Amino acid sequence: MKKFFIGLCALGLSLSLNANAISIDLVANKSVVSVGDSLEVAVRISGLNDANAPSLGVYDVNFQFDNSLFTFDSISWGDSAQGNQLDLSGFGSLQDSSSGSGWLNLFELSFDDALDLNVLQSGEFTLFSILLNTVAAGTGNFSLVANSLGDAYGDNLVADQINGTQVTAGAVSVPEPSSVLLLLVGILAIGMLRVKSAQRR
């Protein structure tokens, strides 16, 4: 009987852990770009509970990219559709960023009350978006390292899965002249030759 009870407890614990499988996904707004194009990569978290714990209260992450193909332009904090889910009461949040060769460190700490975060925060939202400029052709990989994630009380959260993304950058394409345009240029050239030959007579 004791073994049966321990087995039930272990099963219940595993189910409760799997119920909140937190994942972070990098989502690019384009899969193929040309040199000179801008590119936006959103960093989204999911697996939190809608209007219930756990919620996200703080994060410290490193965003990594190929700086031979892309250059950093700017950061947009929060979700463009849902607003900043770490600033639900309008108190703001502590935001900090630093950068190096091919990486950005981003930190955000909510000033919201823990109860407000647990009751009001969505279970899935964009943490921030990174705007980059394409400077060379090639295939670029984007990844993320979660240095730390904390819930509404600052207790540790674990990202079960972090999914990067890949973008192909191509050279600037020069459009070929259309056949109609070539035909018009040819007719114009013939017409000019006839006018010149008529003037010589």
Side-chain angles (χ1 to χ4, degrees):
M1 187 71 176
K2 188 176 179 181
K3 288 182 180 178
F4 177 73
F5 179 73
I6 291 171
L8 279 178
C9 288
L11 179 63
L13 182 61
S14 69
L15 288 174
S16 66
L17 290 174
N18 291 335
N20 293 317
I22 297 170
S23 67
I24 298 176
D25 296 284
L26 277 62
V27 183
N29 66 339
K30 303 171 189 171
S31 59
V32 178
V33 291
S34 297
V35 172
D37 286 352
S38 60
L39 173 72
E40 185 178 71
V41 181
V43 176
R44 293 185 58 80
I45 190 167
S46 60
L48 302 168
N49 282 335
D50 277 318
N52 202 353
S55 59
L56 183 69
V58 60
Y59 62 84
D60 178 4
V61 297
N62 285 350
F63 176 86
Q64 299 171 327
F65 63 97
D66 188 339
N67 65 332
S68 67
L69 304 180
F70 302 95
T71 58
F72 167 66
D73 187 282
S74 61
I75 304 166
S76 295
W77 299 89
D79 192 298
S80 60
Q82 298 172 279
N84 191 339
Q85 293 291 298
L86 271 72
D87 181 18
L88 296 165
S89 302
F91 298 131
S93 62
L94 176 62
Q95 300 168 344
D96 188 42
S97 65
S98 58
S99 61
S101 180
W103 60 268
L104 296 166
N105 174 260
L106 298 104
F107 172 85
E108 187 171 13
L109 170 67
S110 175
F111 293 149
D112 286 337
D113 183 76
L115 181 62
D116 289 339
L117 285 172
N118 286 337
V119 170
L120 301 175
Q121 193 177 83
S122 175
E124 179 179 350
F125 56 91
T126 297
L127 298 173
F128 55 84
S129 298
I130 304 295
L131 188 66
L132 303 118
N133 296 313
T134 311
V135 294
T139 299
N141 292 303
F142 298 88
S143 60
L144 192 89
V145 175
N147 301 319
S148 63
L149 302 172
D151 67 9
Y153 302 100
D155 293 330
N156 189 51
L157 286 174
V158 176
D160 300 279
Q161 195 169 7
I162 299 177
N163 301 308
T165 191
Q166 191 176 76
V167 175
T168 301
V172 178
S173 58
V174 179
E176 295 182 9
S178 68
S179 56
V180 174
L181 181 61
L182 289 173
L183 181 62
L184 289 174
V185 170
I187 291 171
L188 184 62
I190 292 170
M192 289 177 69
L193 286 173
R194 285 188 178 176
V195 168
K196 282 186 181 181
S197 65
Q199 288 175 345
R200 287 178 187 168
R201 291 177 188 173

